[in-house]
Amino acid sequence: MTDQKKPLRFGSVSRTNGTEGYEAYKKYHSAPFAGVNEMIKACNLQNYSIYYYDGLLFSYYEYTGDDYDADMAKMAADPTTQKWWAAVVPQMKPFADDGPWVDMEQIYHLD
Amino acid sequence: MTDQKKPLRFGSVSRTNGTEGYEAYKKYHSAPFAGVNEMIKACNLQNYSIYYYDGLLFSYYEYTGDDYDADMAKMAADPTTQKWWAAVVPQMKPFADDGPWVDMEQIYHLD
């Protein structure tokens, strides 16, 4: 990734699991478990927003580090993050089988 | 909006009008008409990205000005922007009748 401009930007899409899933997902994200946000920052993510409309979830964040895969592995190995994912992922109805979020294609950007 | 923290962040969702709509939308956004990006900046928008997945379009941008409605009206009155919208909006299949994009609810943010 060394030839790409920082920050790297990621847009991802998912869905909530019905009305109950939406309400639970929103409630969890209004007050994440202690340590969750700190680990996100420690993994070099910033300006992270999640949006909802009619069952759809969209996430946008920026990555400022030098090794995205290593930082994502670090996050996945964190026990607090694992506990967090165990709570929030069941509230989702992903588009794909290999994870709760699907990467989208960036088709426009203006700084 | 004076009691809100800058920048204001907006997430919006739309759809492309079939495969042809996606291809045309993407091609237009790879090289916007001269003046389109400049007008966006003149209306105090920044860090503007559009993402695509399986017929879904998601946009994220930040607003740094003091009067969002006035700046959006300024953009809508710009002849170049009108020409641009006349080209790109037919490539879309919006979720609502009152415009090509629907505002999403922000349910999480971490600086």
Side-chain angles (χ1 to χ4, degrees):
Chain A
M1 291 190 188
T2 50
D3 59 338
Q4 292 187 33
K5 188 176 152 196
K6 287 188 185 182
L8 298 178
R9 297 178 170 84
F10 293 84
S12 310
V13 66
S14 191
R15 292 176 295 203
T16 47
N17 193 6
T19 302
E20 286 183 18
Y22 159 65
E23 289 173 356
Y25 192 89
K26 181 177 175 178
K27 188 172 180 180
Y28 278 125
H29 282 80
S30 69
F33 298 166
V36 167
N37 283 347
E38 290 76 4
M39 179 55 56
I40 290 171
K41 300 297 287 183
C43 294
N44 298 307
L45 298 184
Q46 68 176 18
N47 202 13
Y48 189 172
S49 297
I50 299 177
Y51 292 90
Y52 173 84
Y53 174 76
D54 194 24
L56 292 169
L57 290 168
F58 178 86
S59 86
Y60 170 86
Y61 58 71
E62 297 161 4
Y63 177 71
T64 60
D66 295 315
D67 190 336
Y68 183 73
D69 291 344
D71 275 327
M72 292 305 101
K74 174 181 170 182
M75 192 182 300
D78 171 53
T80 300
T81 299
Q82 290 169 0
K83 186 179 155 200
W84 172 246
W85 288 346
V88 301
V89 171
Q91 316 309 327
M92 304 167 79
K93 190 170 67 175
F95 282 100
D97 292 332
D98 62 348
W101 292 97
V102 173
D103 281 344
M104 301 180 83
E105 175 189 9
Q106 189 188 78
I107 59 178
Y108 174 74
H109 180 73
L110 179 67
D111 280 345
Chain B
M1 294 191 188
T2 51
D3 58 340
Q4 294 188 31
K5 189 178 152 194
K6 287 187 185 181
L8 298 176
R9 297 177 170 82
F10 293 84
S12 310
V13 66
S14 191
R15 292 176 295 204
T16 47
N17 193 6
T19 302
E20 286 183 19
Y22 159 65
E23 289 173 356
Y25 192 89
K26 182 176 175 179
K27 187 171 180 181
Y28 279 126
H29 283 78
S30 69
F33 298 167
V36 167
N37 284 346
E38 290 76 4
M39 178 56 55
I40 290 170
K41 301 298 286 183
C43 293
N44 298 306
L45 299 183
Q46 69 176 18
N47 202 13
Y48 188 172
S49 296
I50 299 176
Y51 292 91
Y52 173 84
Y53 173 75
D54 194 23
L56 291 169
L57 290 168
F58 179 86
S59 86
Y60 170 87
Y61 58 72
E62 298 162 1
Y63 177 71
T64 61
D66 295 316
D67 190 336
Y68 183 73
D69 291 343
D71 275 326
M72 292 305 101
K74 174 180 169 181
M75 191 182 300
D78 172 53
T80 300
T81 299
Q82 291 170 359
K83 185 180 156 200
W84 172 246
W85 287 347
V88 300
V89 172
Q91 316 309 326
M92 304 168 79
K93 189 170 67 177
F95 282 99
D97 291 332
D98 62 348
W101 293 96
V102 173
D103 281 344
M104 301 180 84
E105 176 189 9
Q106 189 189 79
I107 58 177
Y108 174 74
H109 180 72
L110 179 68
D111 281 344

